[in-house]
Amino acid sequence: MKAISGGVTAAHGFSAAGVHCGIRKNKTKKDLALILSDVQAAAACVYTKNLVKGAPIYVTKAHVADGYARAVLCNSGNANTCNADGVEVAEKMCAMVAAQSELGLTVEDCIIASTGVIGQPLPLEPIAAGVPELAKALCAGDEGSNAAAEAIMTTDTVKKEIAFEFTVGGKTCRIGGIAKGSGMIHPNMATMLVFVTSDVAIAPALLQAALSADIKDSFNMVSVDGDTSTNDMVSVLCNGMAGNETITDAESADYKAFCEALAAVTTYLCRMIAADGEGATKLLQCEVTGAADKDTARVVAKSVICSSLVKAAMFGADANWGRILCAIGYSGADVDITKIDVSFASAAGTIPVCKDGAGIEFSEEFAKQILLEKEIRMLVSLNSGDAEAIAWGCDLTYDYVKINGDYRT
């Protein structure tokens, strides 16, 4: 497997575009994106578990119920959530894309997503004006994926995209993805908005199984601020244009190869989302080893990465390992506190700070040097088994409050 350029247009038969249609007041920011497969594609999605859900989620669930789709339409600047006419607006947006005869789409071919402010009416006029331009701008090159990645951004400071090339059944295949996410990130299914495309041929049921399994160790292990969004969704389209024999066996080497490629994309995007957390200055990675089982490892890693006190300590480059022990203690995981070891690591080196649940002597100066780096690893060994897990997050800074103090204005 190797990283390649192209994002969601790296796979054969996919094109994408992004334009400014007028949902956002800032005319320099793109706010409408489209991803299109030349042919019908197997589709799989996972959605937020927040009881308050954006209207696009209900529409997308209905459209992919048969396991297939061809297009993704997404707007930024308005979440289309908690609006009385939200479902109608989402359906009409899909109809606008289907009305572009050159695309050959039906309304049901469209996955729909929205991101931005909750509870604000989403006007259709700018979207109606922008969709024809969007359709004409579709491009199978890097610029198509770049434009789409830009158009789905809200408070993101960087575009998030990646692609890989791998082999299935002797055929060269490609998979790529784009994501948006910077704040209101504490997924319990997926994350923010993520769109993945591949030219692999795979049965829809297996695609859904692969995605549902993947998110347990990818997007469900990311937290920026502990808030689960109303519009979180991950969508994957696989159009089969690589020419491999359709993957139908979950025990096959081909299925495992696809799952590995999917994990490469999702893990990369997880790290980008965590590193770009609102106001963040550091990417935090909590690596839990020696757990009795996988669930315990996940719970412990997520608890540490979610702790506001741990996040604040990392912002201040303070090796306050006691906050990590505290987060483990209230995580709900059944662990033996007297067996826990903790170390901090970064490009500057590694330093043990806790052994068997108790503090040990260490150099505060060296620890600070380690924690001043942009990427910090918190290494937690439970010494109770062989299971492990990784969670990603970021530090908690003054700027997070500033950004969210006036988000609507």
Side-chain angles (χ1 to χ4, degrees):
M1 189 187 315
K2 67 175 182 179
I4 58 175
S5 63
V8 290
T9 58
H12 295 93
F14 284 97
S15 55
V19 301
H20 172 81
C21 71
I23 299 171
R24 290 176 173 274
K25 295 178 181 179
N26 187 337
K27 294 183 180 180
T28 65
K29 290 189 176 182
K30 293 181 174 65
D31 53 15
L32 194 63
L34 179 64
I35 303 168
L36 178 71
S37 172
D38 291 346
V39 298
Q40 195 76 304
C45 300
V46 285
Y47 313 94
T48 183
K49 290 186 178 180
N50 193 320
L51 292 179
V52 179
K53 292 178 172 60
I57 287 179
Y58 296 105
V59 174
T60 294
K61 281 185 176 181
H63 287 187
V64 302
D66 64 350
Y68 294 94
R70 273 193 60 203
V72 176
L73 179 67
C74 178
N75 74 273
S76 60
N78 188 310
N80 190 15
T81 300
C82 298
N83 293 325
D85 64 345
V87 170
E88 180 184 359
V89 167
E91 288 282 14
K92 286 183 176 179
M93 288 174 64
C94 295
M96 290 174 186
V97 175
Q100 309 307 304
S101 58
E102 69 273 23
L103 303 182
L105 295 170
T106 67
V107 172
E108 290 73 23
D109 286 333
C110 297
I111 288 171
I112 182 74
S114 298
T115 182
V117 179
I118 295 171
Q120 300 294 315
L122 177 58
L124 285 169
E125 292 79 11
I127 299 169
V131 165
E133 178 187 355
L134 193 63
K136 291 178 182 178
L138 283 168
C139 173
D142 289 357
E143 58 267 37
S145 182
N146 290 339
E150 180 182 342
I152 66 175
M153 293 167 63
T154 51
T155 56
D156 304 62
T157 64
V158 296
K159 290 180 289 187
K160 302 170 178 68
E161 57 183 333
I162 188 62
F164 291 94
E165 191 171 83
F166 61 107
T167 302
V168 169
K171 300 290 185 180
T172 299
C173 304
R174 294 178 173 183
I175 186 170
I178 61 174
K180 67 81 47 185
S182 187
M184 195 181 277
I185 296 175
H186 183 74
N188 193 16
M189 51 81 241
T191 185
M192 300 49 62
L193 293 177
V194 179
F195 306 118
V196 178
T197 60
S198 178
D199 47 22
V200 165
I202 183 171
L206 277 192
L207 178 59
Q208 184 64 60
L211 178 60
S212 296
D214 179 272
I215 64 167
K216 294 178 181 179
D217 289 310
S218 59
F219 299 117
N220 276 358
M221 298 302 290
V222 179
S223 184
V224 166
D225 51 19
D227 275 293
T228 298
S229 169
T230 59
N231 289 53
D232 289 354
M233 178 169 66
V234 175
S235 299
V236 183
L237 294 178
C238 294
N239 66 11
M241 292 186 69
N244 65 290
E245 185 176 343
T246 302
I247 301 171
T248 58
D249 181 4
E251 300 301 320
S252 68
D254 288 350
Y255 180 70
K256 293 176 182 177
F258 173 75
C259 289
E260 289 177 4
L262 177 63
V265 170
T266 57
T267 299
Y268 184 93
L269 294 175
C270 281
R271 287 175 55 85
M272 288 199 76
I273 288 167
D276 193 35
E278 289 175 340
T281 65
K282 299 173 184 177
L283 168 65
L284 307 181
Q285 181 168 298
C286 181
E287 303 173 22
V288 174
T289 58
D293 53 68
K294 188 71 169 180
D295 286 343
T296 297
R298 288 171 177 151
V299 168
V300 169
K302 194 71 175 286
S303 187
V304 172
I305 218 72
C306 289
S307 166
S308 294
L309 289 178
V310 170
K311 290 157 67 69
M314 295 303 97
F315 171 60
D318 178 11
N320 194 339
W321 60 268
R323 293 180 176 180
I324 293 177
L325 266 290
C326 178
I328 296 171
Y330 63 62
S331 69
D334 184 11
V335 299
D336 185 343
I337 298 299
T338 66
K339 292 183 177 181
I340 298 175
D341 301 336
V342 178
S343 298
F344 292 114
S346 72
T350 301
I351 188 167
V353 292
C354 170
K355 178 69 175 175
D356 296 330
I360 56 177
E361 290 188 10
F362 64 91
S363 167
E364 291 283 358
E365 292 76 15
F366 183 41
K368 194 170 192 69
Q369 182 182 347
I370 289 172
L371 298 182
L372 284 171
E373 295 289 331
K374 293 295 184 182
E375 294 189 14
I376 308 299
R377 298 166 61 214
M378 297 175 285
L379 311 179
V380 176
S381 178
L382 301 180
N383 294 307
S384 299
D386 299 320
E388 56 189 43
I390 297 176
W392 301 273
C394 60
D395 55 344
L396 181 60
T397 73
Y398 310 121
D399 285 340
Y400 178 84
V401 176
K402 292 179 181 178
I403 291 167
N404 284 283
D406 60 357
Y407 181 73
R408 292 195 310 135
T409 54

